[in-house]
Structure formats: structure tokens, C-alpha cells
Amino acid sequence: MSDDRFDLVVIGGGPGGYVAALRAAQLGLRTACVDKRGLFGGTCLHVGCIPSKALLHSSERYAEVRHELADHGIRVEGVSIDLARMMARKQETVDELARGTAFLLKKAKVEMIGGAARIAAPGRVEVELQGGGTRALASERILIATGSDSAPLAGVPIDEKRIVSSTGALALERVPQRLVVVGAGAIGLELGSVWSRLGAEVTVVEYLDRILPGMDGEIARNAQRVLARQGLAFQLGREVKSAEASDARVRVTAATRKDGKQEVLEADVVLVAIGRKPYVEGLGLEALGVARDARGFVTVNERFETSVPGVFAIGDCVPGPMLAHKAHEDGVACVEQMVGQHGHVDHLRAPSVVYTWPEIAAVGETEEALVERKADYRVGKFPFTANARAKITGDTQGLVKILADAKTDRVLGVHILGPLAGDLIAEAVSALEFGASAEDIARTCHAHPAMGEALMEAALAVDGRALHV
Ligand SMILES: Cc1cc2nc3c(=O)[nH]c(=O)nc-3n(C[C@H](O)[C@H](O)[C@H](O)COP(=O)(O)OP(=O)(O)OC[C@H]3O[C@@H](n4cnc5c(N)ncnc54)[C@H](O)[C@@H]3O)c2cc1C
């Protein structure tokens, strides 16, 4: 086999692409993974999940020292922020994980290629190499895993300094006095929380009348109350029309959706976080005839095959939740199917987590979805105020909400606002995967004192027999 002939060429080294490449190598496919960054890990590692969580963690420590330690009898004086160090720590975490990802790919004998790839024809990929020159790769299977990019907002031009996308908001050189966040989804709330904790006055402007669209409404309302108490101001039902940056400030014009009344907000920095769009630029998909839907996502069947034989697609550039673990799952299932195995991804069982504090996590159906499909369901709720571990740590805000089928008791959805919700949700995901009933969770022995007991109590509450409320 020539050096440039592979069994699989993966374009994009994000959590979809690099995981697919690792799994393909495990399955014996000679695999190449191309990324134009020249580094592997994708959006998630370089400008997404990891740097945002690093800043969330650091800013949480700062907020804890300022607002919570005194209550524990710990006096700390002269607390201040060294933002340059905080940013350097974030980058060190990213760099270390990037080295780990490259190590894994090398160990698996995946050929890593730094450069921008284009599909010249089915079975043929051309790469503009990072160091100059081109390289042609031949493979009967090509996997598109090129991810996504921030969605732009008309009238609000991003310069990544004053008007920023999430990428700019992860790298501000000083704490803005006033930050306007456009969009109350996960990214807006997470990055709004970071800068609010570090001292910015943060206003979140959202088009809809609620925050966290797509998540359970009751949990979102509770989350909004908690975040407002932490200092985030919310302007809901408002459409941002334009933003203009001058030397001194940015002027944001927003209109109330109900009556069109306009108001100008002034800020030092504006973060546009209205969602993400699939990224497939430069791949040559039009010429190749790869079909895309009205929103630009590459259309695939249940085997992740595009409309062109031999060309597959996964992750953020195909329909479904735009999440790193979903991209990862897609990658594994896609490659397993290529070799005749039976990989499968169920989007309804992909958890989603918002890493504010408290965290917000969900899996399965929301109450709104159950009402809409006229399902017969029961609800069990348990507040963290009644959980011993939460009392000990002082993290009593929030609740666990379990939705179960009224007849079969099968768990349909679990929604958590509370401490470590992002970890607690794993039990709920397993429950859904195994088709568990609320009774199964209720009868599972949970360690004491632990946050997980709240899940058990909410499951008991489905049957009206919670013990600690
Ligand atoms: C601020 C932020 C926070 C986030 N937090 C979370 C979180 O906490 N949890 C979570 O699950 N998700 C989170 N996400 C979403 C997550 O990052 C994405 O869902 C995930 O990265 C998608 O993976 P992917 O492999 O499909 O694509 P990506 O990670 O976007 O990777 C695609 C790769 O393809 C490369 N590429 C593109 N075109 C070409 C080409 N022509 N040739 C070669 N290479 C190319 C790009 O350089 C990129 O590295 C966050 C996103 C952002 C922006």
C-alpha cells in the first residue's frame, strides 16, 4: 500500500474526528486524520468545552474565596485577580490535553496531517499542508468531521476585541466593566458567569421569553432566579438589532419583541452567543454533490452516509445536538458500521450540561415535550435544601426533577439544577439507556451523605413517597 493510500481519511480532528480515527485504528483500518489547525482536539479542546470550563473553575474559586469562605470560618484578606495567570493556566490545561490527544493518535498509528483538506472527488482528498505544499490522499472512505462555527448576528459585526464570539470571550485581556451577552443559551450563561464572577456587570439579552431554550422550563426558570441572585441581569423577549463599537464603548440597540420599543445598552464588550452553525467551508461539497439541509447541515442516513457513496459525516456538521460527546458517539458508531458492526446513537439519551454554578443538566424529554405529545406522566421532585451533602457544602440551590411514564413508570426525562449536576446526570443517562423505571432508581442504594441521594429521593417522589421532605 502506498504511503498516501488509506482505508479511512477523517477530515477534522475534533472530538468527532479524532475519536473516530482512534476507533477506526482499533478496528484495523489504516487511518489518516487531517486538521487545518495542525493540532488535534478541535473546537472543544482549543476554543470550546475545555478553556471555558477552565475559566469557569478558576472564577468559581475566586467567587468562593470572596463570598463563601468567611462562612466556614476562613478569613482571607487582600484577594485579587491575576487575569494573565488565570488565562495562562487555562492555556496550560488546553496544551496538556492537546499533547495527550496527539499521543493517543500516535500510539494508535493514526497518521496526523496538519492542513486544510478538500474532497477533490469520491475517494480522493487533497490537503494544503500547513508547512506549504499539497498532499493527495486516496481512500475508499472519507469522513467529514469539520464541526461548527459561531453563528453570526446581522448588524453585530464581530471583531473579537470589543464585539466577540465565544472565542474572543475566552481570551479577554482585562475584565470588562460592562458586558452584554446576546443569547441565553449554555455558552452565553457560562461565559456571562465567568466575567460576572470576575467583576463585570453582565446583562444577558435574549430573543425568547425564557433562558435555556430546549431545556425543561421549570428548571430554566429556577436557574434564571439563581443566576440573577448572583448578579446576572436578564432582558428577555428582546431582539438585538445592531451594535456599534466606538473607541469608548459599544452601543447595542435592542427592541422589545412585544411592542418594538427600542433601547440602547452601553457596554465595554459584547458577546454574541446566539448558537452555532455547521462548518464545511473549503471542502468542495457543492461540486461533489453532497446534500445539505436548509440550515446547512450535511444530511446523513442512520449509517452517517452522505448523499455521495463513500463520503460520511458526523458531529456538529450533521443534524442533532451540537455537543462534544454526541460528536464522539457519532464517530464511534459511524466507524463501527463501516466494518459491519452495529454502532448506534440515540440523541434523546445524550445528556446536556450547563456548567454554571449550580450546574444544570438534563437527559431525555422535557415536561413541555411530554405535554405536547399528550403523554400520561408523573413527576417527582426533590430540592437540594433537603440533601445532607448539599447542606454540608452550602450548595442547597436547585432541585432534581424526574419525569416517568404514568403507567409503566419508565423514566422519560431527568432534569437537574444543582451541585455537580453534570456528574449526577450520568446515573440518569444509564437509567434511560437500560429502560429503568423510577422505582429502579428509588430502590438503588445510594451512598450517604452524597448529592446522588437527591436523585433517589426524586425517584421516590414520583410515587409520592420521598422520605426527606
Ligand atoms: C465556548 C464553547 C463551549 C462549549 N462547551 C461544551 C461543553 O461543555 N460540552 C460539550 O459537549 N460541548 C461543548 N461545546 C460544543 C463542542 O465544542 C462541539 O460540539 C464539538 O467540538 C463538536 O465536535 P466536532 O468534532 O464535530 O467538531 P469540532 O470540534 O468543531 O472540530 C472540527 C475540526 O475540523 C477542522 N477542520 C474544519 N475544516 C477543515 C478542513 N477543510 N480541513 C481540515 N480540518 C478542518 C477544524 O480545524 C476543527 O479542529 C462548546 C462549544 C463552544 C464554542
Side-chain angles (χ1 to χ4, degrees), residues 320-370:
M322 295 172 96
L323 293 168
H325 42 281
K326 178 265 185 186
H328 167 143
E329 293 271 305
D330 279 2
V332 170
C334 171
V335 166
E336 288 181 347
Q337 294 193 39
M338 283 176 188
V339 299
Q341 295 188 359
H342 302 285
H344 171 71
V345 181
D346 182 347
H347 291 159
L348 204 53
R349 292 181 190 160
S352 48
V353 180
V354 186
Y355 292 84
T356 47
W357 194 263
E359 293 174 351
I360 307 154
V363 64
E365 291 178 281
T366 61
E367 189 158 5
E368 289 75 12
L370 294 178

Side-chain angles (χ1 to χ4, degrees), residues 12 15-16 35-37 42-44 49 53 117 146-147 316 322-325:
D35 199 296
K36 63 180 184 176
R37 246 191 199 95
T43 302
C44 169
C49 325
K53 266 82 258 180
T146 48
D316 273 14
M322 295 172 96
L323 293 168
H325 42 281

Side-chain angles (χ1 to χ4, degrees), residues 83-318:
L83 187 60
R85 176 63 210 134
M86 199 179 279
M87 290 292 175
R89 181 186 178 279
K90 172 202 75 173
Q91 198 53 45
E92 285 158 16
T93 311
V94 169
D95 293 345
E96 207 169 307
L97 287 168
R99 279 194 296 275
T101 308
F103 168 80
L104 292 173
L105 289 165
K106 190 170 172 208
K107 191 169 82 148
K109 299 196 170 48
V110 171
E111 179 147 356
M112 289 175 271
I113 302 172
R118 184 177 70 87
I119 308 175
R124 190 180 156 86
V125 173
E126 280 177 11
V127 186
E128 292 276 346
L129 296 170
Q130 253 198 338
T134 56
R135 184 170 163 188
L137 312 173
S139 173
E140 70 185 74
R141 306 176 192 90
I142 297 167
L143 174 54
I144 301 169
T146 48
S148 63
D149 201 357
S150 312
L153 179 58
V156 188
I158 304 275
D159 61 19
E160 294 297 13
K161 290 270 173 247
R162 317 286 304 279
I163 305 179
V164 297
S165 70
S166 54
T167 301
L170 289 167
L172 297 180
E173 284 166 7
R174 62 187 78 83
V175 178
Q177 210 182 336
R178 283 166 304 178
L179 172 71
V180 166
V181 177
V182 187
I187 294 176
L189 295 185
E190 289 183 356
L191 293 175
S193 290
V194 165
W195 293 108
S196 159
R197 289 170 190 157
L198 297 181
E201 213 177 275
V202 176
T203 303
V204 182
V205 185
E206 166 60 49
Y207 181 85
L208 298 174
D209 292 323
R210 54 163 294 174
I211 69 166
L212 294 170
M215 292 192 102
D216 187 87
E218 181 181 14
I219 294 288
R221 280 191 299 281
N222 277 281
Q224 187 185 335
R225 264 199 297 277
V226 173
L227 294 173
R229 247 180 268 139
Q230 291 173 10
L232 266 68
F234 290 95
Q235 296 198 356
L236 305 181
R238 296 224 175 167
E239 182 177 3
V240 169
K241 297 282 193 189
S242 64
E244 248 176 80
S246 68
D247 284 350
R249 63 186 72 88
V250 188
R251 287 165 60 85
V252 180
T253 305
T256 311
R257 273 177 56 226
K258 231 178 7 207
D259 55 17
K261 212 171 120 207
Q262 295 205 348
E263 198 191 322
V264 173
L265 301 167
E266 296 204 335
D268 305 284
V269 175
V270 175
L271 162 62
V272 180
I274 57 162
R276 297 186 60 79
K277 63 175 174 62
Y279 181 86
V280 290
E281 252 109 279
L283 283 175
L285 298 192
E286 292 75 18
L288 202 63
V290 170
R292 294 165 69 192
D293 69 14
R295 297 171 60 210
F297 290 96
V298 177
T299 35
V300 287
N301 62 15
E302 66 293 342
R303 299 168 60 82
F304 302 94
E305 290 166 322
T306 68
S307 55
V308 174
V311 180
F312 300 77
I314 57 163
D316 273 14
C317 68
V318 304

Side-chain angles (χ1 to χ4, degrees), residues 380-443:
K381 295 181 212 170
F382 189 79
F384 280 98
T385 41
N387 174 272
R389 186 67 186 276
K391 275 266 191 263
I392 293 163
T393 62
D395 294 308
T396 52
Q397 298 180 103
L399 72 154
V400 177
K401 173 175 178 179
I402 297 184
L403 302 160
D405 187 282
K407 283 196 198 73
T408 64
D409 195 37
R410 190 180 177 129
V411 178
L412 302 172
V414 178
H415 307 274
I416 309 175
L417 167 70
L420 302 178
D423 289 301
L424 292 179
I425 202 69
E427 180 181 357
V429 177
S430 296
L432 258 77
E433 279 290 350
F434 290 123
S437 61
E439 185 71 12
D440 289 327
I441 299 178
R443 290 203 177 269

